[in-house]
Amino acid sequence: VEEAQIGGQLQHPGIDPEYELGLMSDERPYFTMKLVKGHTLAKLLARRKTVAEDRARFLSIFESVCQTMAYAHSKGVIHRDLKPANVMVGSFGEAQVVDWGLSKVLGRGGVADEVLTQDSALSVIETVRSGPQTGSDSIVGNVLGTPPYMSPEQARGEVEQLDERTDVFALGAILCELLTGAPPYVEREGRNVVQMAAMAELDEARAR
């Protein structure tokens, strides 16, 4: 329900539109959305013979993803699971950020208010969980997201610390994979990716 309500209120070419939200006969919720045709960015990156192949094209796709997330952030919404597998690329290079299942509407105040202009503040995203009587369904200490692309605070389960900067870190992680062939954290024998992310062990990525 939360995913459908957020998607239904974010109107941007880089976000798949939601058409309907309802209940099936057994009371399970459903929503309908546009069918996205194409391939994930992860699949396209995996097809490269070298990391330099089609670099300009991939950077253009990455820029589109950044613009999409800038729009979502202007509306007070963070994705929390940005990765190449959650970017769909169409036949003509159009890019859409998909799978907003872990997305969250930020509370008022702090960073969320700093980015809101006077105009956009009139159309703040609201969902079943964003009212004053409810909170996030996230639990402090829970690790939400995909470890190789996680910001340190996300890997540490510091749910209340997550804001737009968490997504910006994930965008940097996508760019790292685009340019070097691997995300910031790569699992090795005896090393746990979540622990590496929690400590922001980026030396290996920088060396690449």
Side-chain angles (χ1 to χ4, degrees), residues 41 61-71 73 79 81-84 87 97 149-151 154 164-179 184:
L41 179 58
I61 292 168
F62 176 73
E63 182 181 3
S64 295
V65 173
C66 290
Q67 294 290 352
T68 298
M69 293 315 304
Y71 167 79
H73 290 170
H79 189 282
D81 197 19
L82 289 172
K83 56 186 176 182
V87 175
V97 178
Y149 306 91
M150 280 183 178
S151 64
Q154 193 171 13
E164 297 94 337
R165 293 169 293 184
T166 302
D167 283 347
V168 172
F169 187 97
L171 288 171
I174 294 172
L175 182 61
C176 176
E177 182 166 1
L178 194 159
L179 296 175

PDB file of all heavy atoms in Angstrom, residues 41 61-71 73 79 81-84 87 97 149-151 154 164-179 184:
ATOM      1  N   LEU A  41      19.650  -2.197 -15.655  1.00  0.00           N
ATOM      2  CA  LEU A  41      21.006  -1.684 -15.810  1.00  0.00           C
ATOM      3  C   LEU A  41      22.015  -2.751 -15.397  1.00  0.00           C
ATOM      4  O   LEU A  41      23.095  -2.859 -15.991  1.00  0.00           O
ATOM      5  CB  LEU A  41      21.181  -0.414 -14.967  1.00  0.00           C
ATOM      6  CG  LEU A  41      22.553   0.244 -14.995  1.00  0.00           C
ATOM      7  CD1 LEU A  41      22.971   0.616 -16.410  1.00  0.00           C
ATOM      8  CD2 LEU A  41      22.564   1.476 -14.082  1.00  0.00           C
ATOM      9  N   ILE A  61      22.681   7.302 -18.856  1.00  0.00           N
ATOM     10  CA  ILE A  61      21.629   6.613 -18.090  1.00  0.00           C
ATOM     11  C   ILE A  61      21.742   6.983 -16.620  1.00  0.00           C
ATOM     12  O   ILE A  61      20.740   7.282 -15.951  1.00  0.00           O
ATOM     13  CB  ILE A  61      21.752   5.084 -18.282  1.00  0.00           C
ATOM     14  CG1 ILE A  61      21.408   4.710 -19.731  1.00  0.00           C
ATOM     15  CG2 ILE A  61      20.865   4.332 -17.292  1.00  0.00           C
ATOM     16  CD1 ILE A  61      21.773   3.279 -20.101  1.00  0.00           C
ATOM     17  N   PHE A  62      22.972   6.993 -16.111  1.00  0.00           N
ATOM     18  CA  PHE A  62      23.195   7.337 -14.707  1.00  0.00           C
ATOM     19  C   PHE A  62      22.710   8.751 -14.416  1.00  0.00           C
ATOM     20  O   PHE A  62      22.097   9.006 -13.370  1.00  0.00           O
ATOM     21  CB  PHE A  62      24.674   7.194 -14.370  1.00  0.00           C
ATOM     22  CG  PHE A  62      25.029   7.618 -12.974  1.00  0.00           C
ATOM     23  CD1 PHE A  62      24.679   6.840 -11.887  1.00  0.00           C
ATOM     24  CD2 PHE A  62      25.712   8.816 -12.749  1.00  0.00           C
ATOM     25  CE1 PHE A  62      24.994   7.231 -10.587  1.00  0.00           C
ATOM     26  CE2 PHE A  62      26.030   9.208 -11.461  1.00  0.00           C
ATOM     27  CZ  PHE A  62      25.670   8.421 -10.380  1.00  0.00           C
ATOM     28  N   GLU A  63      22.962   9.672 -15.324  1.00  0.00           N
ATOM     29  CA  GLU A  63      22.505  11.053 -15.125  1.00  0.00           C
ATOM     30  C   GLU A  63      20.983  11.108 -15.030  1.00  0.00           C
ATOM     31  O   GLU A  63      20.426  11.840 -14.196  1.00  0.00           O
ATOM     32  CB  GLU A  63      22.996  11.942 -16.262  1.00  0.00           C
ATOM     33  CG  GLU A  63      22.594  13.400 -16.082  1.00  0.00           C
ATOM     34  CD  GLU A  63      23.057  14.284 -17.219  1.00  0.00           C
ATOM     35  OE1 GLU A  63      23.645  13.771 -18.185  1.00  0.00           O
ATOM     36  OE2 GLU A  63      22.804  15.501 -17.146  1.00  0.00           O
ATOM     37  N   SER A  64      20.302  10.322 -15.855  1.00  0.00           N
ATOM     38  CA  SER A  64      18.838  10.274 -15.804  1.00  0.00           C
ATOM     39  C   SER A  64      18.352   9.761 -14.451  1.00  0.00           C
ATOM     40  O   SER A  64      17.368  10.265 -13.897  1.00  0.00           O
ATOM     41  CB  SER A  64      18.290   9.381 -16.920  1.00  0.00           C
ATOM     42  OG  SER A  64      18.569   9.920 -18.190  1.00  0.00           O
ATOM     43  N   VAL A  65      19.040   8.754 -13.920  1.00  0.00           N
ATOM     44  CA  VAL A  65      18.682   8.217 -12.604  1.00  0.00           C
ATOM     45  C   VAL A  65      18.878   9.295 -11.528  1.00  0.00           C
ATOM     46  O   VAL A  65      18.034   9.455 -10.628  1.00  0.00           O
ATOM     47  CB  VAL A  65      19.525   6.964 -12.280  1.00  0.00           C
ATOM     48  CG1 VAL A  65      19.275   6.506 -10.844  1.00  0.00           C
ATOM     49  CG2 VAL A  65      19.202   5.844 -13.254  1.00  0.00           C
ATOM     50  N   CYS A  66      19.956  10.052 -11.636  1.00  0.00           N
ATOM     51  CA  CYS A  66      20.208  11.132 -10.668  1.00  0.00           C
ATOM     52  C   CYS A  66      19.098  12.178 -10.719  1.00  0.00           C
ATOM     53  O   CYS A  66      18.633  12.664  -9.674  1.00  0.00           O
ATOM     54  CB  CYS A  66      21.555  11.795 -10.946  1.00  0.00           C
ATOM     55  SG  CYS A  66      22.983  10.764 -10.562  1.00  0.00           S
ATOM     56  N   GLN A  67      18.660  12.535 -11.922  1.00  0.00           N
ATOM     57  CA  GLN A  67      17.588  13.519 -12.057  1.00  0.00           C
ATOM     58  C   GLN A  67      16.280  12.989 -11.461  1.00  0.00           C
ATOM     59  O   GLN A  67      15.538  13.730 -10.803  1.00  0.00           O
ATOM     60  CB  GLN A  67      17.384  13.880 -13.539  1.00  0.00           C
ATOM     61  CG  GLN A  67      18.549  14.596 -14.183  1.00  0.00           C
ATOM     62  CD  GLN A  67      18.725  16.014 -13.676  1.00  0.00           C
ATOM     63  OE1 GLN A  67      17.893  16.538 -12.940  1.00  0.00           O
ATOM     64  NE2 GLN A  67      19.823  16.645 -14.064  1.00  0.00           N
ATOM     65  N   THR A  68      16.015  11.712 -11.675  1.00  0.00           N
ATOM     66  CA  THR A  68      14.816  11.097 -11.110  1.00  0.00           C
ATOM     67  C   THR A  68      14.844  11.154  -9.588  1.00  0.00           C
ATOM     68  O   THR A  68      13.847  11.506  -8.937  1.00  0.00           O
ATOM     69  CB  THR A  68      14.685   9.638 -11.576  1.00  0.00           C
ATOM     70  OG1 THR A  68      14.563   9.611 -12.998  1.00  0.00           O
ATOM     71  CG2 THR A  68      13.473   8.953 -10.949  1.00  0.00           C
ATOM     72  N   MET A  69      15.996  10.827  -9.014  1.00  0.00           N
ATOM     73  CA  MET A  69      16.097  10.840  -7.559  1.00  0.00           C
ATOM     74  C   MET A  69      16.067  12.267  -7.007  1.00  0.00           C
ATOM     75  O   MET A  69      15.545  12.496  -5.905  1.00  0.00           O
ATOM     76  CB  MET A  69      17.360  10.103  -7.107  1.00  0.00           C
ATOM     77  CG  MET A  69      17.322   8.602  -7.387  1.00  0.00           C
ATOM     78  SD  MET A  69      15.750   7.806  -6.926  1.00  0.00           S
ATOM     79  CE  MET A  69      15.636   8.264  -5.189  1.00  0.00           C
ATOM     80  N   ALA A  70      16.599  13.224  -7.751  1.00  0.00           N
ATOM     81  CA  ALA A  70      16.500  14.618  -7.313  1.00  0.00           C
ATOM     82  C   ALA A  70      15.034  15.032  -7.214  1.00  0.00           C
ATOM     83  O   ALA A  70      14.630  15.730  -6.270  1.00  0.00           O
ATOM     84  CB  ALA A  70      17.260  15.525  -8.279  1.00  0.00           C
ATOM     85  N   TYR A  71      14.227  14.592  -8.169  1.00  0.00           N
ATOM     86  CA  TYR A  71      12.790  14.876  -8.124  1.00  0.00           C
ATOM     87  C   TYR A  71      12.145  14.226  -6.895  1.00  0.00           C
ATOM     88  O   TYR A  71      11.401  14.881  -6.149  1.00  0.00           O
ATOM     89  CB  TYR A  71      12.105  14.374  -9.400  1.00  0.00           C
ATOM     90  CG  TYR A  71      10.606  14.351  -9.284  1.00  0.00           C
ATOM     91  CD1 TYR A  71       9.851  15.510  -9.414  1.00  0.00           C
ATOM     92  CD2 TYR A  71       9.937  13.155  -9.005  1.00  0.00           C
ATOM     93  CE1 TYR A  71       8.466  15.491  -9.273  1.00  0.00           C
ATOM     94  CE2 TYR A  71       8.558  13.124  -8.870  1.00  0.00           C
ATOM     95  CZ  TYR A  71       7.820  14.295  -9.009  1.00  0.00           C
ATOM     96  OH  TYR A  71       6.463  14.265  -8.852  1.00  0.00           O
ATOM     97  N   HIS A  73      13.491  13.286  -4.123  1.00  0.00           N
ATOM     98  CA  HIS A  73      13.961  13.943  -2.906  1.00  0.00           C
ATOM     99  C   HIS A  73      13.281  15.293  -2.710  1.00  0.00           C
ATOM    100  O   HIS A  73      13.004  15.695  -1.576  1.00  0.00           O
ATOM    101  CB  HIS A  73      15.482  14.122  -2.960  1.00  0.00           C
ATOM    102  CG  HIS A  73      16.227  12.826  -2.850  1.00  0.00           C
ATOM    103  ND1 HIS A  73      17.581  12.728  -3.071  1.00  0.00           N
ATOM    104  CD2 HIS A  73      15.805  11.568  -2.545  1.00  0.00           C
ATOM    105  CE1 HIS A  73      17.967  11.473  -2.901  1.00  0.00           C
ATOM    106  NE2 HIS A  73      16.901  10.751  -2.586  1.00  0.00           N
ATOM    107  N   HIS A  79      14.431   6.375  -1.597  1.00  0.00           N
ATOM    108  CA  HIS A  79      14.211   5.043  -2.171  1.00  0.00           C
ATOM    109  C   HIS A  79      14.718   3.929  -1.251  1.00  0.00           C
ATOM    110  O   HIS A  79      14.050   2.928  -1.028  1.00  0.00           O
ATOM    111  CB  HIS A  79      14.925   4.967  -3.529  1.00  0.00           C
ATOM    112  CG  HIS A  79      14.610   3.738  -4.319  1.00  0.00           C
ATOM    113  ND1 HIS A  79      15.174   2.502  -4.044  1.00  0.00           N
ATOM    114  CD2 HIS A  79      13.802   3.540  -5.400  1.00  0.00           C
ATOM    115  CE1 HIS A  79      14.719   1.610  -4.911  1.00  0.00           C
ATOM    116  NE2 HIS A  79      13.894   2.205  -5.744  1.00  0.00           N
ATOM    117  N   ASP A  81      16.886   1.615  -1.696  1.00  0.00           N
ATOM    118  CA  ASP A  81      17.394   0.369  -2.298  1.00  0.00           C
ATOM    119  C   ASP A  81      17.830   0.617  -3.737  1.00  0.00           C
ATOM    120  O   ASP A  81      17.516  -0.168  -4.635  1.00  0.00           O
ATOM    121  CB  ASP A  81      16.333  -0.730  -2.236  1.00  0.00           C
ATOM    122  CG  ASP A  81      16.931  -2.128  -2.465  1.00  0.00           C
ATOM    123  OD1 ASP A  81      18.165  -2.292  -2.306  1.00  0.00           O
ATOM    124  OD2 ASP A  81      16.164  -3.044  -2.823  1.00  0.00           O
ATOM    125  N   LEU A  82      18.564   1.700  -3.957  1.00  0.00           N
ATOM    126  CA  LEU A  82      19.054   2.000  -5.297  1.00  0.00           C
ATOM    127  C   LEU A  82      20.199   1.064  -5.663  1.00  0.00           C
ATOM    128  O   LEU A  82      21.131   0.879  -4.890  1.00  0.00           O
ATOM    129  CB  LEU A  82      19.531   3.459  -5.377  1.00  0.00           C
ATOM    130  CG  LEU A  82      18.439   4.530  -5.330  1.00  0.00           C
ATOM    131  CD1 LEU A  82      19.070   5.902  -5.215  1.00  0.00           C
ATOM    132  CD2 LEU A  82      17.550   4.440  -6.558  1.00  0.00           C
ATOM    133  N   LYS A  83      20.113   0.476  -6.842  1.00  0.00           N
ATOM    134  CA  LYS A  83      21.140  -0.432  -7.361  1.00  0.00           C
ATOM    135  C   LYS A  83      20.850  -0.645  -8.836  1.00  0.00           C
ATOM    136  O   LYS A  83      19.725  -0.361  -9.302  1.00  0.00           O
ATOM    137  CB  LYS A  83      21.115  -1.762  -6.607  1.00  0.00           C
ATOM    138  CG  LYS A  83      19.756  -2.474  -6.622  1.00  0.00           C
ATOM    139  CD  LYS A  83      19.760  -3.706  -5.735  1.00  0.00           C
ATOM    140  CE  LYS A  83      18.366  -4.346  -5.672  1.00  0.00           C
ATOM    141  NZ  LYS A  83      18.350  -5.513  -4.769  1.00  0.00           N
ATOM    142  N   PRO A  84      21.799  -1.141  -9.614  1.00  0.00           N
ATOM    143  CA  PRO A  84      21.566  -1.349 -11.044  1.00  0.00           C
ATOM    144  C   PRO A  84      20.374  -2.253 -11.357  1.00  0.00           C
ATOM    145  O   PRO A  84      19.712  -2.072 -12.371  1.00  0.00           O
ATOM    146  CB  PRO A  84      22.879  -1.957 -11.525  1.00  0.00           C
ATOM    147  CG  PRO A  84      23.902  -1.395 -10.592  1.00  0.00           C
ATOM    148  CD  PRO A  84      23.224  -1.347  -9.255  1.00  0.00           C
ATOM    149  N   VAL A  87      17.065  -0.339 -11.834  1.00  0.00           N
ATOM    150  CA  VAL A  87      16.983   0.657 -12.904  1.00  0.00           C
ATOM    151  C   VAL A  87      16.656  -0.084 -14.195  1.00  0.00           C
ATOM    152  O   VAL A  87      17.398  -0.969 -14.614  1.00  0.00           O
ATOM    153  CB  VAL A  87      18.309   1.432 -13.069  1.00  0.00           C
ATOM    154  CG1 VAL A  87      18.225   2.380 -14.263  1.00  0.00           C
ATOM    155  CG2 VAL A  87      18.641   2.198 -11.795  1.00  0.00           C
ATOM    156  N   VAL A  97      13.578   4.337 -12.536  1.00  0.00           N
ATOM    157  CA  VAL A  97      13.895   3.754 -11.236  1.00  0.00           C
ATOM    158  C   VAL A  97      12.671   2.969 -10.777  1.00  0.00           C
ATOM    159  O   VAL A  97      11.566   3.513 -10.712  1.00  0.00           O
ATOM    160  CB  VAL A  97      14.245   4.846 -10.212  1.00  0.00           C
ATOM    161  CG1 VAL A  97      14.530   4.219  -8.845  1.00  0.00           C
ATOM    162  CG2 VAL A  97      15.448   5.662 -10.686  1.00  0.00           C
ATOM    163  N   TYR A 149      25.698  -1.793  -1.923  1.00  0.00           N
ATOM    164  CA  TYR A 149      25.415  -0.410  -2.306  1.00  0.00           C
ATOM    165  C   TYR A 149      25.014   0.458  -1.103  1.00  0.00           C
ATOM    166  O   TYR A 149      24.612   1.598  -1.274  1.00  0.00           O
ATOM    167  CB  TYR A 149      24.290  -0.377  -3.353  1.00  0.00           C
ATOM    168  CG  TYR A 149      24.580  -1.247  -4.543  1.00  0.00           C
ATOM    169  CD1 TYR A 149      24.175  -2.578  -4.570  1.00  0.00           C
ATOM    170  CD2 TYR A 149      25.292  -0.756  -5.641  1.00  0.00           C
ATOM    171  CE1 TYR A 149      24.459  -3.397  -5.653  1.00  0.00           C
ATOM    172  CE2 TYR A 149      25.582  -1.571  -6.732  1.00  0.00           C
ATOM    173  CZ  TYR A 149      25.165  -2.886  -6.722  1.00  0.00           C
ATOM    174  OH  TYR A 149      25.452  -3.703  -7.797  1.00  0.00           O
ATOM    175  N   MET A 150      25.144  -0.073   0.096  1.00  0.00           N
ATOM    176  CA  MET A 150      24.632   0.606   1.285  1.00  0.00           C
ATOM    177  C   MET A 150      25.556   1.693   1.815  1.00  0.00           C
ATOM    178  O   MET A 150      26.776   1.551   1.813  1.00  0.00           O
ATOM    179  CB  MET A 150      24.431  -0.415   2.416  1.00  0.00           C
ATOM    180  CG  MET A 150      23.170  -1.220   2.326  1.00  0.00           C
ATOM    181  SD  MET A 150      23.061  -2.286   3.783  1.00  0.00           S
ATOM    182  CE  MET A 150      21.503  -3.078   3.479  1.00  0.00           C
ATOM    183  N   SER A 151      24.931   2.749   2.320  1.00  0.00           N
ATOM    184  CA  SER A 151      25.672   3.750   3.079  1.00  0.00           C
ATOM    185  C   SER A 151      25.990   3.160   4.455  1.00  0.00           C
ATOM    186  O   SER A 151      25.334   2.212   4.908  1.00  0.00           O
ATOM    187  CB  SER A 151      24.830   5.010   3.241  1.00  0.00           C
ATOM    188  OG  SER A 151      23.670   4.728   4.010  1.00  0.00           O
ATOM    189  N   GLN A 154      23.060   2.988   6.881  1.00  0.00           N
ATOM    190  CA  GLN A 154      22.078   1.985   6.481  1.00  0.00           C
ATOM    191  C   GLN A 154      22.549   0.591   6.881  1.00  0.00           C
ATOM    192  O   GLN A 154      21.768  -0.211   7.404  1.00  0.00           O
ATOM    193  CB  GLN A 154      21.856   2.073   4.970  1.00  0.00           C
ATOM    194  CG  GLN A 154      20.645   1.322   4.465  1.00  0.00           C
ATOM    195  CD  GLN A 154      20.360   1.625   3.004  1.00  0.00           C
ATOM    196  OE1 GLN A 154      21.183   2.201   2.307  1.00  0.00           O
ATOM    197  NE2 GLN A 154      19.204   1.220   2.525  1.00  0.00           N
ATOM    198  N   GLU A 164      18.079  11.746   2.418  1.00  0.00           N
ATOM    199  CA  GLU A 164      18.477  11.803   1.009  1.00  0.00           C
ATOM    200  C   GLU A 164      19.917  11.366   0.793  1.00  0.00           C
ATOM    201  O   GLU A 164      20.259  10.789  -0.243  1.00  0.00           O
ATOM    202  CB  GLU A 164      18.303  13.226   0.462  1.00  0.00           C
ATOM    203  CG  GLU A 164      16.869  13.723   0.453  1.00  0.00           C
ATOM    204  CD  GLU A 164      16.518  14.518   1.692  1.00  0.00           C
ATOM    205  OE1 GLU A 164      17.186  14.330   2.734  1.00  0.00           O
ATOM    206  OE2 GLU A 164      15.585  15.320   1.628  1.00  0.00           O
ATOM    207  N   ARG A 165      20.773  11.629   1.762  1.00  0.00           N
ATOM    208  CA  ARG A 165      22.190  11.296   1.615  1.00  0.00           C
ATOM    209  C   ARG A 165      22.420   9.796   1.482  1.00  0.00           C
ATOM    210  O   ARG A 165      23.392   9.358   0.856  1.00  0.00           O
ATOM    211  CB  ARG A 165      22.981  11.870   2.798  1.00  0.00           C
ATOM    212  CG  ARG A 165      23.004  13.399   2.794  1.00  0.00           C
ATOM    213  CD  ARG A 165      23.544  13.969   4.084  1.00  0.00           C
ATOM    214  NE  ARG A 165      22.636  13.705   5.203  1.00  0.00           N
ATOM    215  CZ  ARG A 165      22.827  14.167   6.428  1.00  0.00           C
ATOM    216  NH1 ARG A 165      23.890  14.908   6.701  1.00  0.00           N
ATOM    217  NH2 ARG A 165      21.971  13.892   7.381  1.00  0.00           N
ATOM    218  N   THR A 166      21.511   9.002   2.040  1.00  0.00           N
ATOM    219  CA  THR A 166      21.598   7.546   1.895  1.00  0.00           C
ATOM    220  C   THR A 166      21.464   7.155   0.421  1.00  0.00           C
ATOM    221  O   THR A 166      22.220   6.319  -0.092  1.00  0.00           O
ATOM    222  CB  THR A 166      20.496   6.866   2.728  1.00  0.00           C
ATOM    223  OG1 THR A 166      20.640   7.260   4.099  1.00  0.00           O
ATOM    224  CG2 THR A 166      20.577   5.359   2.623  1.00  0.00           C
ATOM    225  N   ASP A 167      20.501   7.765  -0.265  1.00  0.00           N
ATOM    226  CA  ASP A 167      20.332   7.516  -1.693  1.00  0.00           C
ATOM    227  C   ASP A 167      21.511   8.050  -2.496  1.00  0.00           C
ATOM    228  O   ASP A 167      21.938   7.425  -3.481  1.00  0.00           O
ATOM    229  CB  ASP A 167      19.046   8.167  -2.207  1.00  0.00           C
ATOM    230  CG  ASP A 167      17.789   7.398  -1.831  1.00  0.00           C
ATOM    231  OD1 ASP A 167      17.899   6.238  -1.391  1.00  0.00           O
ATOM    232  OD2 ASP A 167      16.685   7.959  -1.983  1.00  0.00           O
ATOM    233  N   VAL A 168      22.042   9.205  -2.097  1.00  0.00           N
ATOM    234  CA  VAL A 168      23.181   9.783  -2.819  1.00  0.00           C
ATOM    235  C   VAL A 168      24.383   8.840  -2.728  1.00  0.00           C
ATOM    236  O   VAL A 168      25.115   8.648  -3.706  1.00  0.00           O
ATOM    237  CB  VAL A 168      23.527  11.182  -2.277  1.00  0.00           C
ATOM    238  CG1 VAL A 168      24.829  11.693  -2.887  1.00  0.00           C
ATOM    239  CG2 VAL A 168      22.389  12.159  -2.571  1.00  0.00           C
ATOM    240  N   PHE A 169      24.586   8.229  -1.562  1.00  0.00           N
ATOM    241  CA  PHE A 169      25.665   7.249  -1.424  1.00  0.00           C
ATOM    242  C   PHE A 169      25.443   6.079  -2.381  1.00  0.00           C
ATOM    243  O   PHE A 169      26.371   5.623  -3.061  1.00  0.00           O
ATOM    244  CB  PHE A 169      25.749   6.739   0.021  1.00  0.00           C
ATOM    245  CG  PHE A 169      26.943   5.848   0.261  1.00  0.00           C
ATOM    246  CD1 PHE A 169      28.106   6.360   0.809  1.00  0.00           C
ATOM    247  CD2 PHE A 169      26.917   4.497  -0.070  1.00  0.00           C
ATOM    248  CE1 PHE A 169      29.224   5.552   1.017  1.00  0.00           C
ATOM    249  CE2 PHE A 169      28.016   3.681   0.126  1.00  0.00           C
ATOM    250  CZ  PHE A 169      29.173   4.212   0.674  1.00  0.00           C
ATOM    251  N   ALA A 170      24.189   5.597  -2.451  1.00  0.00           N
ATOM    252  CA  ALA A 170      23.878   4.476  -3.345  1.00  0.00           C
ATOM    253  C   ALA A 170      24.103   4.863  -4.807  1.00  0.00           C
ATOM    254  O   ALA A 170      24.552   4.038  -5.614  1.00  0.00           O
ATOM    255  CB  ALA A 170      22.444   4.006  -3.122  1.00  0.00           C
ATOM    256  N   LEU A 171      23.800   6.106  -5.154  1.00  0.00           N
ATOM    257  CA  LEU A 171      24.085   6.573  -6.511  1.00  0.00           C
ATOM    258  C   LEU A 171      25.591   6.521  -6.774  1.00  0.00           C
ATOM    259  O   LEU A 171      26.027   6.101  -7.853  1.00  0.00           O
ATOM    260  CB  LEU A 171      23.564   8.000  -6.703  1.00  0.00           C
ATOM    261  CG  LEU A 171      22.044   8.158  -6.802  1.00  0.00           C
ATOM    262  CD1 LEU A 171      21.662   9.627  -6.755  1.00  0.00           C
ATOM    263  CD2 LEU A 171      21.507   7.505  -8.068  1.00  0.00           C
ATOM    264  N   GLY A 172      26.374   6.932  -5.800  1.00  0.00           N
ATOM    265  CA  GLY A 172      27.825   6.842  -5.934  1.00  0.00           C
ATOM    266  C   GLY A 172      28.281   5.407  -6.090  1.00  0.00           C
ATOM    267  O   GLY A 172      29.229   5.114  -6.833  1.00  0.00           O
ATOM    268  N   ALA A 173      27.593   4.486  -5.404  1.00  0.00           N
ATOM    269  CA  ALA A 173      27.934   3.063  -5.509  1.00  0.00           C
ATOM    270  C   ALA A 173      27.633   2.537  -6.913  1.00  0.00           C
ATOM    271  O   ALA A 173      28.387   1.732  -7.466  1.00  0.00           O
ATOM    272  CB  ALA A 173      27.164   2.264  -4.456  1.00  0.00           C
ATOM    273  N   ILE A 174      26.511   2.990  -7.496  1.00  0.00           N
ATOM    274  CA  ILE A 174      26.182   2.612  -8.873  1.00  0.00           C
ATOM    275  C   ILE A 174      27.243   3.155  -9.824  1.00  0.00           C
ATOM    276  O   ILE A 174      27.711   2.456 -10.734  1.00  0.00           O
ATOM    277  CB  ILE A 174      24.786   3.131  -9.260  1.00  0.00           C
ATOM    278  CG1 ILE A 174      23.703   2.431  -8.438  1.00  0.00           C
ATOM    279  CG2 ILE A 174      24.527   2.924 -10.756  1.00  0.00           C
ATOM    280  CD1 ILE A 174      22.308   3.005  -8.613  1.00  0.00           C
ATOM    281  N   LEU A 175      27.647   4.401  -9.618  1.00  0.00           N
ATOM    282  CA  LEU A 175      28.683   5.007 -10.459  1.00  0.00           C
ATOM    283  C   LEU A 175      30.000   4.246 -10.315  1.00  0.00           C
ATOM    284  O   LEU A 175      30.715   4.031 -11.299  1.00  0.00           O
ATOM    285  CB  LEU A 175      28.875   6.473 -10.077  1.00  0.00           C
ATOM    286  CG  LEU A 175      29.897   7.262 -10.898  1.00  0.00           C
ATOM    287  CD1 LEU A 175      29.504   7.306 -12.372  1.00  0.00           C
ATOM    288  CD2 LEU A 175      30.055   8.671 -10.341  1.00  0.00           C
ATOM    289  N   CYS A 176      30.308   3.786  -9.112  1.00  0.00           N
ATOM    290  CA  CYS A 176      31.516   2.994  -8.865  1.00  0.00           C
ATOM    291  C   CYS A 176      31.481   1.721  -9.712  1.00  0.00           C
ATOM    292  O   CYS A 176      32.470   1.365 -10.370  1.00  0.00           O
ATOM    293  CB  CYS A 176      31.623   2.654  -7.381  1.00  0.00           C
ATOM    294  SG  CYS A 176      33.013   1.582  -6.958  1.00  0.00           S
ATOM    295  N   GLU A 177      30.334   1.044  -9.732  1.00  0.00           N
ATOM    296  CA  GLU A 177      30.221  -0.180 -10.529  1.00  0.00           C
ATOM    297  C   GLU A 177      30.310   0.127 -12.018  1.00  0.00           C
ATOM    298  O   GLU A 177      30.935  -0.619 -12.786  1.00  0.00           O
ATOM    299  CB  GLU A 177      28.912  -0.901 -10.215  1.00  0.00           C
ATOM    300  CG  GLU A 177      28.760  -2.202 -10.972  1.00  0.00           C
ATOM    301  CD  GLU A 177      27.645  -3.091 -10.439  1.00  0.00           C
ATOM    302  OE1 GLU A 177      26.957  -2.679  -9.479  1.00  0.00           O
ATOM    303  OE2 GLU A 177      27.461  -4.194 -10.980  1.00  0.00           O
ATOM    304  N   LEU A 178      29.701   1.244 -12.426  1.00  0.00           N
ATOM    305  CA  LEU A 178      29.741   1.630 -13.827  1.00  0.00           C
ATOM    306  C   LEU A 178      31.179   1.864 -14.298  1.00  0.00           C
ATOM    307  O   LEU A 178      31.565   1.443 -15.383  1.00  0.00           O
ATOM    308  CB  LEU A 178      28.896   2.900 -14.002  1.00  0.00           C
ATOM    309  CG  LEU A 178      28.506   3.352 -15.407  1.00  0.00           C
ATOM    310  CD1 LEU A 178      27.286   4.264 -15.328  1.00  0.00           C
ATOM    311  CD2 LEU A 178      29.654   4.093 -16.085  1.00  0.00           C
ATOM    312  N   LEU A 179      31.978   2.504 -13.450  1.00  0.00           N
ATOM    313  CA  LEU A 179      33.333   2.897 -13.842  1.00  0.00           C
ATOM    314  C   LEU A 179      34.391   1.833 -13.575  1.00  0.00           C
ATOM    315  O   LEU A 179      35.416   1.790 -14.250  1.00  0.00           O
ATOM    316  CB  LEU A 179      33.731   4.193 -13.125  1.00  0.00           C
ATOM    317  CG  LEU A 179      32.905   5.435 -13.473  1.00  0.00           C
ATOM    318  CD1 LEU A 179      33.336   6.605 -12.608  1.00  0.00           C
ATOM    319  CD2 LEU A 179      33.029   5.781 -14.943  1.00  0.00           C
ATOM    320  N   PRO A 184      31.052  -0.829  -4.491  1.00  0.00           N
ATOM    321  CA  PRO A 184      32.086  -0.519  -3.498  1.00  0.00           C
ATOM    322  C   PRO A 184      32.530  -1.702  -2.650  1.00  0.00           C
ATOM    323  O   PRO A 184      33.712  -1.858  -2.358  1.00  0.00           O
ATOM    324  CB  PRO A 184      31.415   0.549  -2.622  1.00  0.00           C
ATOM    325  CG  PRO A 184      30.417   1.189  -3.505  1.00  0.00           C
ATOM    326  CD  PRO A 184      29.910   0.099  -4.397  1.00  0.00           C
TER     327      PRO A 184
END
